[in-house]
Each structure stands twice: as structure tokens, then as C-alpha cells.
Amino acid sequence: MFMRKSTSLLRLPFVRAKSALVTAVPSDPAAYVANKLAQFDAMQFTPIRESTVSREMTRRYMSEMIDYAETDVRLEMHFWCIVGAGSAGLSCAYELSKHPDVKVAIIEQNVAPGGGCWLGGQLMSSMVVRKPANEFLDELEVPYDDKGDYVVVKHAALFMSSVLRKALLAPNVKLFNAVAVEDLLVKQEDEGVAVRGVVTNWSLVTQNHDTQSCMDPQVMEAKVVVTATGHDGPMGASSAKRLESLGALPSGLPGMGALDMNTAEDAVVQMTSEVVPGLIFAGMEVAEARGCNRMGPTFGAMLLSGQKAANLAIQALRR
Ligand SMILES: Cc1cc2nc3c(=O)[nH]c(=O)nc-3n(C[C@H](O)[C@H](O)[C@H](O)COP(=O)(O)OP(=O)(O)OC[C@H]3O[C@@H](n4cnc5c(N)ncnc54)[C@H](O)[C@@H]3O)c2cc1C
């Protein structure tokens, strides 16, 4: 919050922006810059005590941890947990946020959410999305060049920042980043094994289990867990690998098949499903668990897989 020493600074009119997506242009750029610099010279931050900052952060975070430990039946809230804040996980969170009677926790082991969707293929900028996934871009107000059968977003980061912003603005979504899902909460129920939550820890703790003594995790109970942990890797495909080790998935995960854009994108969306009761696979973890082809640098399947997973989750609750 800026506090001005002087209130007599010049207010300059803006030329009306042509579209909501274009930043307003100052009518007199030189005067605008001079005025802005004068404002910085005149400004001073409002005072604050250091302890206030500490208390503010701690109180809010701890109360959110308590709030998200389990479903609050009294408030008739239904709790979903999404593992992984990549393109699929965030698309899922945004779609779930449309339902005010659910609360959504996104668990992301990285400090920075977004997964592999800050760039296009081979670390280039633009993002190719095949139709009809452009409809999701329209909903998020992400501009693109229409090329007929596909569209191109000028930078993948534009999509990622948009879906991230929409998800975080929703009052029923909470992102716990720098928190890793170390394990699944698995229950033996009448119909067999079911997933009923996740086992979490600070990522820095997870990374240091081998160098420190035992550091126990936390548990978040959830009616439905969506797992979107991406490709196999040090953390990726973690739910699929855990279920395999428990014998809940056949041993020898197929892993993603060779690149074939035309079959892969449809297959990932079609195979986005509740593989084990309470656990829905989305994004590239679907390819790891089910063995469909990889699609390379086309991203439509990640967006639609996340959206489909959200609707499957809503349906699972009503069952
Ligand atoms: C080797 C390789 C091959 C690729 N091939 C393809 C391809 O064929 N097709 C394609 O579209 N894209 C490919 N990509 C690009 C990119 O990874 C994906 O398009 C896209 O990012 C996948 O989206 P996602 O949401 O499924 O997973 P990601 O974007 O990878 O997001 C997963 C998120 O989950 C988090 N996470 C993982 N495990 C845990 C855990 N235990 N706890 C908490 N958080 C966790 C990760 O930190 C990450 O942020 C490839 C990338 C690589 C590195």
C-alpha cells in the first residue's frame, strides 16, 4: 500500500484502451512518466511492526491447514485434493472452483506452481492448442492466433499465469506450494482398496529424509483426490508408482508410449478416469499409468483432461 506525502500530484487522463486485454495508454507519455516518478519520490510505506507480519502469515496459514485437514460436514463443504499444480491440475482446480459447495486444496511440491507449462516445445515460447481446447482459452480470456484446426498462444506463460490467477482468485481454492505428497491415504473398504486422502510434508523435509532422522508427515483427508503429477521423474507419476507398489495397479507401469499427436491427445482425455476408487488420474500421469502415446508440444489434452477430472470428481461425490 502506497502512502503519499503529498496529495496534490497531477492526475493524467488515459486514452481509452481498445480492448480489455490491452493496457491503457497515457495520452501524454512524457508527462505520465514525470508524474509517476514524482509519486515515487513523494511516497512512503505505511508503518508496520515486524511481529505483525509474522503473526499475519502464521495465523492465516495455520488456520488454512486446520480448515483443509478434512471435510467440514457441518458446512456441507466437500473437499477435493489435487496433487500437482501443472496445466492439468490447475485446469481441474479452476473447473472445480465453479462449485461453491466444494473446497479445493492444490498440493504442489515445487515453490513455483505451473509444472512444465511455462514454455512450449524445446524450451520455445509459444503454445500450440488443438481445437476444441481453444474454448477453454476463451473462457480464461487468453488471446491466441487462430490457425484453423489449431490456435497458438504467443507464450505458454500467458496461459499458465491466466489459469493460475483464475484458480487462486476463487474463494474455495487453496494452493499449498512447497508441500509434497509423500504417500496416499489408502483404506481397505468393502469394494476393495480406496484412496481417501494424501500424506503431506514440507518439500524441504521430503528431500531430506535420507540426511536427517525420521520426520513424520501430515495427513489431509479428502473425499476425492485428483492426481496430476505429470511425467515419471523424481516426483512425477508419484501416485501411479505408489499404487503399483501397493498392488492396486498391475506391476510394471506401462509408461507413456511413443509420440503420436493425433492418437495421444484424444487418448489422454478419454483415459482420464477414476482408476482406483477415490483417485482420478489427469494430465500426463494418465499416459504413465495407462500407456497411451505422448503428444509432444501440444497442450490441449492437459487442459481438457483437467476439466474432465473435475467433472468426474463431482460425479464421484454424488454416487
Ligand atoms: C521428458 C518430457 C517429455 C514431455 N513430453 C510431453 C508430451 O509428450 N506431451 C506433452 O503435452 N508434454 C510433454 N512434455 C511437457 C510438459 O511436461 C507437459 O506438457 C505438461 O506440463 C504436463 O502437464 P501435467 O499437468 O500433466 O504435469 P506437469 O506440468 O508436469 O505438472 C505436474 C506438477 O505436479 C507436481 N508434483 C509432482 N509430484 C508431486 C508430489 N508428489 N507432490 C506434490 N506435487 C507434485 C510437479 O512439481 C508439477 O508442478 C514433456 C516434458 C518432459 C520433461
Side-chain angles (χ1 to χ4, degrees):
M1 170 78 76
F2 278 27
M3 188 177 82
R4 291 189 197 91
K5 284 177 183 163
S6 159
T7 53
S8 61
L9 291 168
L10 180 64
R11 293 248 155 256
L12 290 170
F14 280 79
V15 175
R16 215 175 146 179
K18 286 198 184 81
S19 121
L21 298 173
V22 180
T23 311
V25 184
S27 56
D28 180 345
Y32 172 82
V33 169
N35 182 54
K36 267 312 220 192
L37 291 175
Q39 284 182 31
F40 287 119
D41 285 344
M43 67 142 274
Q44 192 178 34
F45 286 105
T46 50
I48 198 162
R49 289 189 62 198
E50 284 77 3
S51 56
T52 303
V53 177
S54 301
R55 286 199 184 106
E56 197 58 56
M57 288 189 303
T58 311
R59 187 182 297 119
R60 188 173 284 244
Y61 195 82
M62 291 306 162
S63 90
E64 283 165 339
M65 282 186 85
I66 291 167
D67 193 30
Y68 278 85
E70 64 172 344
T71 304
D72 189 341
V73 179
R74 190 170 42 84
L75 292 173
E76 293 181 339
M77 296 286 276
H78 305 298
F79 174 38
W80 273 265
C81 175
I82 301 170
V83 188
S87 43
L90 287 169
S91 300
C92 178
Y94 166 73
E95 185 74 4
L96 279 173
S97 75
K98 295 174 183 173
H99 300 266
D101 59 337
V102 307
K103 58 177 182 175
V104 183
I106 314 170
I107 317 291
E108 169 54 54
Q109 58 93 22
N110 235 322
V111 171
C117 196
W118 290 107
L119 288 160
Q122 206 179 325
L123 307 186
M124 291 188 227
S125 310
S126 59
M127 176 185 182
V128 174
V129 174
R130 289 164 64 201
K131 292 184 177 178
N134 62 313
E135 289 167 17
F136 188 53
L137 300 177
D138 293 337
E139 194 175 326
L140 297 174
E141 297 176 271
V142 177
Y144 52 74
D145 291 334
D146 194 327
K147 298 286 194 168
D149 289 337
Y150 65 94
V151 303
V152 185
V153 179
K154 73 173 183 181
H155 204 299
L158 182 55
F159 162 74
M160 179 42 65
S161 55
S162 300
V163 71
L164 183 59
R165 179 175 188 276
K166 290 266 187 190
L168 290 182
L169 278 174
N172 53 344
V173 174
K174 167 66 188 170
L175 169 67
F176 292 94
N177 46 339
V179 175
V181 169
E182 291 190 344
D183 204 350
L184 301 169
L185 178 61
V186 174
K187 303 271 184 189
Q188 191 65 44
E189 298 184 353
D190 291 344
E191 302 79 30
V193 162
V195 174
R196 296 295 174 224
V198 292
V199 179
T200 65
N201 217 329
W202 309 117
S203 295
L204 291 177
V205 174
T206 301
Q207 288 158 19
N208 282 289
H209 283 310
D210 292 341
T211 61
Q212 306 290 321
S213 61
C214 175
M215 292 170 285
D216 284 330
Q218 284 261 36
V219 180
M220 281 187 179
E221 287 187 42
K223 290 202 167 166
V224 183
V225 176
V226 174
T227 182
T229 67
H231 296 284
D232 195 2
M235 295 300 289
S238 45
S239 305
K241 288 187 282 193
R242 183 59 175 138
L243 287 176
E244 181 200 23
S245 72
L246 294 171
L249 284 180
S251 77
L253 284 176
M256 63 182 175
L259 195 151
D260 180 354
M261 284 185 190
N262 282 301
T263 59
E265 288 215 273
D266 289 312
V268 165
V269 177
Q270 278 159 19
M271 292 185 190
T272 296
S273 59
E274 191 176 6
V275 174
V276 169
L279 188 72
I280 296 165
F281 279 79
M284 288 309 286
E285 196 171 3
V286 173
E288 297 287 352
R290 306 294 296 277
C292 44
N293 295 93
R294 60 186 290 205
M295 68 289 292
T298 53
F299 285 84
M302 301 300 111
L303 283 45
L304 298 193
S305 170
Q307 275 195 300
K308 182 180 174 187
N311 287 287
L312 288 171
I314 298 283
Q315 201 177 52
L317 181 81
R318 304 240 152 88
R319 225 178 11 229

